[in-house]
Amino acid sequence: MLLLLAQTPQEAAKGIYFWLGMIVVAAVVLTVAALILRKLLLGGADEPVNLGFTLADLRDLHAKGELTDEQFDQAKRQMIARGKSMLADDAEGADAGGISGNPVEEIDLG
């Protein structure tokens, strides 16, 4: 306490500014650390993933009366066709890479 009374006002102000600066620096460092930790824990998934409609979504809309029978059937056919074409594309890509649908065919025992 005597040390504080023995200081001049300029020396006291310097000490106050020093500790005030240290508090600001600590706040910035802690904020950056918290943001990095949040990014690591959340895996960088800030945006929700939109997978589109599922068949269950279509059924719910149909049950609520928001889709007619014809609209539901058409949307269901389109969804199934899109799924089949994706499977066909995957199968063609696998065949082009030298991998067949039957792994036993690829084994050379001779």
Side-chain angles (χ1 to χ4, degrees), residues 43-106:
D46 291 338
E47 299 176 12
V49 177
N50 184 7
L51 299 176
F53 282 104
T54 63
L55 193 52
D57 293 333
L58 290 175
R59 286 186 189 126
D60 289 342
L61 290 172
H62 184 251
K64 291 177 186 176
E66 296 179 24
L67 288 177
T68 65
D69 291 339
E70 295 82 22
Q71 290 171 330
F72 173 73
D73 289 336
Q74 180 183 8
K76 185 171 73 170
R77 281 194 304 271
Q78 288 176 349
M79 187 176 287
I80 292 170
R82 200 173 322 136
K84 286 182 181 179
S85 72
M86 288 172 61
L87 287 174
D89 290 345
D90 286 346
E92 288 175 10
D95 287 342
I99 301 171
S100 70
N102 188 356
V104 177
E105 294 175 354
E106 298 296 320

Side-chain angles (χ1 to χ4, degrees), residues 1-39:
M1 187 72 166
L2 292 174
L3 183 63
L4 290 176
L5 294 175
Q7 290 180 345
T8 64
Q10 291 83 10
E11 291 172 344
K14 285 181 185 177
I16 291 172
Y17 289 135
F18 171 77
W19 287 110
L20 192 61
M22 293 301 287
I23 290 171
V24 169
V25 168
V28 169
V29 168
L30 288 174
T31 301
V32 169
L35 290 173
I36 291 171
L37 185 62
R38 180 177 182 253
K39 185 94 168 169

